[in-house]
Structures are given as structure tokens and as C-alpha cells.
Amino acid sequence: MLECVPEGKIEHTVGKINPAKTCQPIGAMYAALGIHGCLPHSHGSQGCCAYHRMHLTRHFRDQVLASSSSFTEGASVFGGASNLKTSVKNIFKIYNPDIIAVHTTCLSETIGDDVPNIIKQCEIPEGKIVIHTNTPSYVGSHITGFSNMCKSMVAYLAVAEGETKKEQVNVIPGFVNPGDMREIRRIVTALGIKLVMFPDTSGVLDAPLTSKYQMYPDGGATVAEIRDSGNSEVTLALGAFASNAAADLLQEKCGVTGIPLKLPIGLKATDDFVMALKDWFGVEIPKEIAIERGQVIDTLIDTHFHYQGKTVAIFGDPDHVIAMTEFAITMGMVPKYVLTGTPGKEFEATVQKMLDEAGITGSKVKAEGDLFELHEWIREEKVDLMIGTTYGKYIARKEDIPLVRFGFPILDRAVHPLMPVVGYRGCLRLIEQISDALLERRDRDALDEDFELVL
């Protein structure tokens, strides 16, 4: 496709070419998988559900289970109430989940199905639960869908039992991998603080291979834990786009103080996360965490000449891109192009403020952009490195630029979902990946007389 793009600048003001996002239901489905014993349910056609399951499965390389209302022409015309009621009855009878999390699709949203009222008419066995969220694919992105499902978890499940709060923290981790959720839990536990994290896909989409099949693995936040989130002292919302809405509702509904933070990707954002916990609960930073931070500082000093002053294009989900941009600046790199496909002008304001404070000028920042536009920018003036999802590999190949795979989705490499990029350990991994990508390019391009053993 890129070979067919004519030379010169091309203006496209309608629609997207090679979007830097996907649709809401994927995010809602992923969030629902972070509830223990939950079966996500797609209220729409089988094709929508199949695509969403396939996309998640390709990224996580683990089976993603979900059910569908299986709309046909009749449901498309007369509404999907009958389909949903039959689906709920059959799901509990055949698959026996603890909870069903319903999300809508373009089709059910366009015809105007009143999902909350339909759920009230469903046959729900005693002790079982059905929740829902609205996720029209033509609005927002998969991050919006994730946020909406998290907000529905609070709306349906969270309860405040009294005015006295428990000495525990809620963490809404954002749209991150199971490996990241494990690392967030490890850091909070190392600080000696009781944690309620939801959603939590660790143990679900990174479960080990055993000799026995489990339709509902041991991982995920239990319904009881999500209910108890209303009794916590504080909620840390990691990533404004994915987590703030649920934290705000939890504060409004149950009186739990919400603290918005960036995703703890990079040195400064991880410092902010750890210090928020330290300041709120009055705990001491354990030696193991202090050592990890010191290793990051030492590594940044030891390797700074690998990436100092290098220009970089960063693209992907807004919370990931914001945190990664901050870390790139910390590393001494120059974020020249910063783009997300998710709408939201606050993205542009946040990134531009970081660039201004760092004295970086001439960068281009855009929300609700697409990869065609990013390619146009790169064709005008190249960068030394690209950081983003698998979808950037075509631009990277065409323009001969190294690509560090980061965010969602990563469809052409394995293991990423298990390896954290959050926390201080995540910092080390990102430094390694960025440094290696640039040094590999240096080795590849070096003349024989410049091909060095020690770099």
C-alpha cells in the first residue's frame, strides 16, 4: 500500500487511513476478562465477537472466551431483546460463569436496544450477576470501551458498608498487559499495603499450561473484591483515559478518594506511583524497591550515549504514549512525533506541556490521528526510532527506521504480554529495548573499519 502513495503532502480530512486504534468492544471485553469467573458477552452479531476474540488472542497468545447474542436480520430489525434474554439463560445453564459482562456493538447501539431493562427481564440464577456497559464502536476507541466497562464494574458492584474505610488501596491499572498488572501488585505488596486491583487479567491471560482445562482460570478480581473497593481509603487511577472515569464514580458513589496518576511507565511516573502510596499510608520504601530504582539511574548513566539526542516517533494508546513520552524525555531523547488514535484534546495539552517544560520545540502532537498522517510526517523529516504497536512495522520498513514494539496490539512478536514495562523493572526493559534497537542499526550500517566490538 505504501508503494502506491504519491510524493508530496496529501490532505485527508474525512475518515481514517490506517487507524492507530481499534473499537470500543475490544477494550470492554478485555476489562471483563479481568473479573474472576466472568464470561464477556457481545450484544451484537457473531462476526463482531469473533473479531474481538481473535484480536485479543493474537496479542496475548492465549485463548479469549466470549459469547454473543448472534444477531441475524430479524434482531437487526426488531431489536435484540429476545436474543439477549435467551443468551443469558443459556450461558448460565451451559457455561456457569459467576458473572456475565455484557457490552454492546455498533448494531445494538444503532437500533437502540435498552440493555439495562432487558437485563432486568432476564432469568438470572440466584447468586449470579449480569452487568453491562454501552460501547458503540463508532465513538472513541478500545481505551474508551475499557474505561466504560471499568466504570460499570463500579456502578453495578462497588458498595460502601459504612463511613469508616479500610486501610487498603484500590488500583485501577489501565489497559496494560497481565505482566504489568503482576508488577503493579508486586510493588504495592512490597510496600506492605493491602490491595484491591480491578480489573486484573493476571492469572487469566497469562495462566500456565497445566494438564487440566479451566474455563475460568484462578486469576482475576473477584466480585467480592470489587464490591469491597467501596470500603477502601483511596483509589489510584493509572492512566487518565482508561481509569479516571471509574475512580471518579467510586469517589462519588462510595466516598473513596481518587488520585489520578500516569501509567507508571518510566522513572518519573513510577516515582509518582510509589510516592503516592508512601505519602498516603505513611509506609517506608523497602530496600528492594530502592535498589531497583538505583539500578535504573545507574543504567541511564551507563548507556545515555546510546540514545542521547535521538529523535523518536511515539504512537499508540494515549496513556501509554503520554508516559512513554515523559520517559523518552528523561532519557535525553527528542519526541518529534507523538500521536494517538483515541480522541481527547487533553492528550495534546498534556504532551505539549511536557515538551515545553523540556525545552523541546518543533514537535508534532496529535490526538485522534492515524498512521497515514504519521507516515506523512516521517516522510517530511525522518526520525531515528519509532516506538509503538505492530501496525507501525510497515512505516518502519518503508522508511528504514528501527521499531521498538510497545503497547497494544503486538501481533508479530511473542512474550510481550508477560514482560512488564511498568515499574522500575519495566524501565530497565525499555532502556534495553531502545538501546538495542539503536545499536543494532549502528552495527548494521557500520563500515568494516568502524564495526566495533565494544559499544
Side-chain angles (χ1 to χ4, degrees):
M1 181 183 76
L2 299 181
E3 298 292 342
C4 301
V5 177
E7 295 296 326
K9 187 170 180 60
I10 302 169
E11 296 288 346
H12 71 290
T13 57
V14 179
K16 299 296 174 188
I17 304 174
N18 200 4
K21 63 170 186 174
T22 188
C23 57
Q24 279 205 56
I26 286 183
M29 186 179 288
Y30 180 56
L33 291 165
I35 307 174
H36 177 70
C38 179
L39 187 67
H41 181 81
S42 179
H43 186 51
S45 69
Q46 286 179 299
C48 291
C49 185
Y51 164 67
H52 303 147
R53 290 178 60 192
M54 174 196 70
H55 205 58
L56 291 169
T57 296
R58 285 177 169 173
H59 173 82
F60 294 106
R61 297 178 186 264
D62 209 345
Q63 59 184 357
V64 170
L65 302 178
S67 54
S68 169
S69 292
S70 300
F71 276 30
T72 58
E73 291 85 348
S76 302
V77 174
F78 299 108
S82 176
N83 293 54
L84 182 55
K85 285 186 275 189
T86 302
S87 295
V88 169
K89 181 180 178 180
N90 289 340
I91 289 166
F92 281 125
K93 182 177 179 180
I94 299 170
Y95 302 113
N96 194 32
D98 295 332
I99 178 172
I100 298 172
V102 179
H103 59 265
T104 55
T105 65
C106 298
L107 188 52
S108 55
E109 285 287 334
T110 301
I111 63 178
D113 272 351
D114 187 352
V115 177
N117 276 329
I118 298 171
I119 290 174
K120 290 176 183 177
Q121 301 168 30
C122 290
E123 296 181 31
I124 303 174
E126 186 175 352
K128 305 293 185 178
I129 302 168
V130 179
I131 68 174
H132 98 285
T133 195
N134 293 93
T135 51
S137 300
Y138 41 77
V139 177
S141 72
H142 57 290
I143 298 300
T144 315
F146 182 93
S147 173
N148 286 341
M149 182 56 80
C150 291
K151 187 176 178 181
S152 290
M153 292 177 196
V154 174
Y156 274 92
L157 302 175
V159 177
E161 295 175 353
E163 294 184 4
T164 303
K165 298 297 183 183
K166 296 181 180 180
E167 194 172 342
Q168 65 185 26
V169 61
N170 301 323
V171 173
I172 304 173
F175 197 117
V176 294
N177 286 320
D180 296 311
M181 294 181 185
R182 285 186 184 274
E183 182 64 7
I184 290 168
R185 181 177 295 279
R186 186 190 68 85
I187 292 171
V188 177
T189 302
L191 290 166
I193 301 167
K194 186 179 178 183
L195 167 69
V196 175
M197 182 161 64
F198 70 95
D200 182 4
T201 60
S202 64
V204 179
L205 290 173
D206 63 350
L209 182 64
T210 65
S211 59
K212 184 179 179 181
Y213 172 72
Q214 281 183 280
M215 185 167 184
Y216 306 107
D218 295 333
T222 65
V223 170
E225 287 174 328
I226 300 174
R227 281 179 173 151
D228 195 39
S229 67
N231 299 312
S232 299
E233 286 187 9
V234 63
T235 301
L236 301 186
L238 307 184
F241 285 81
S243 302
N244 277 8
D248 290 345
L249 181 59
L250 195 54
Q251 180 166 328
E252 178 185 337
K253 181 181 178 183
C254 301
V256 180
T257 301
I259 299 177
L261 296 170
K262 295 185 184 75
L263 280 179
I265 295 172
L267 183 62
K268 186 178 185 304
T270 302
D271 286 348
D272 292 343
F273 175 62
V274 172
M275 293 305 295
L277 292 165
K278 177 185 183 296
D279 293 343
W280 186 274
F281 291 97
V283 297
E284 293 298 318
I285 304 298
K287 186 177 180 179
E288 64 177 288
I289 300 298
I291 288 173
E292 289 172 12
R293 186 182 189 277
Q295 289 173 330
V296 174
I297 300 296
D298 184 54
T299 304
L300 286 170
I301 293 170
D302 289 344
T303 61
H304 74 277
F305 53 90
H306 295 164
Y307 39 76
Q308 177 75 32
K310 299 293 186 180
T311 56
V312 58
I314 306 172
F315 62 96
D317 298 339
D319 295 328
H320 280 81
V321 170
I322 288 170
M324 189 67 244
T325 300
E326 183 178 69
F327 190 40
I329 292 171
T330 299
M331 294 173 68
M333 301 180 76
V334 180
K336 190 165 186 63
Y337 308 128
V338 184
L339 179 141
T340 183
T342 299
K345 291 299 180 183
E346 59 270 30
F347 170 85
E348 296 178 6
T350 300
V351 172
Q352 192 59 55
K353 182 180 178 182
M354 290 191 295
L355 296 171
D356 291 342
E357 290 175 350
I360 296 172
T361 59
S363 297
K364 294 184 178 181
V365 182
K366 186 168 184 180
E368 206 169 1
D370 58 40
L371 296 184
F372 184 90
E373 186 162 22
L374 178 64
H375 192 194
E376 284 284 286
W377 295 346
I378 291 173
R379 289 207 306 173
E380 291 173 9
E381 186 175 352
K382 283 192 176 181
V383 290
D384 298 304
L385 183 69
M386 294 174 62
I387 302 176
T389 71
T390 289
Y391 287 102
K393 69 185 292 184
Y394 299 99
I395 300 174
R397 178 170 176 169
K398 172 68 174 174
E399 303 301 331
D400 195 24
I401 299 171
L403 169 66
V404 171
R405 286 161 175 81
F406 169 77
F408 173 88
I410 296 173
L411 307 174
D412 61 338
R413 298 290 188 273
V415 190
H416 279 264
L418 282 74
M419 305 299 292
V421 295
V422 302
Y424 300 119
R425 289 182 177 178
C427 287
L428 293 174
R429 181 166 181 255
L430 288 170
I431 294 169
E432 177 195 23
Q433 288 180 304
I434 290 169
S435 180
D436 283 356
L438 291 167
L439 292 179
E440 287 283 355
R441 173 51 51 88
R442 177 175 170 178
D443 278 346
R444 192 203 73 176
D445 294 344
L447 300 173
D448 287 349
E449 59 267 29
D450 298 325
F451 192 60
E452 298 288 350
L453 180 66
V454 180
L455 294 174

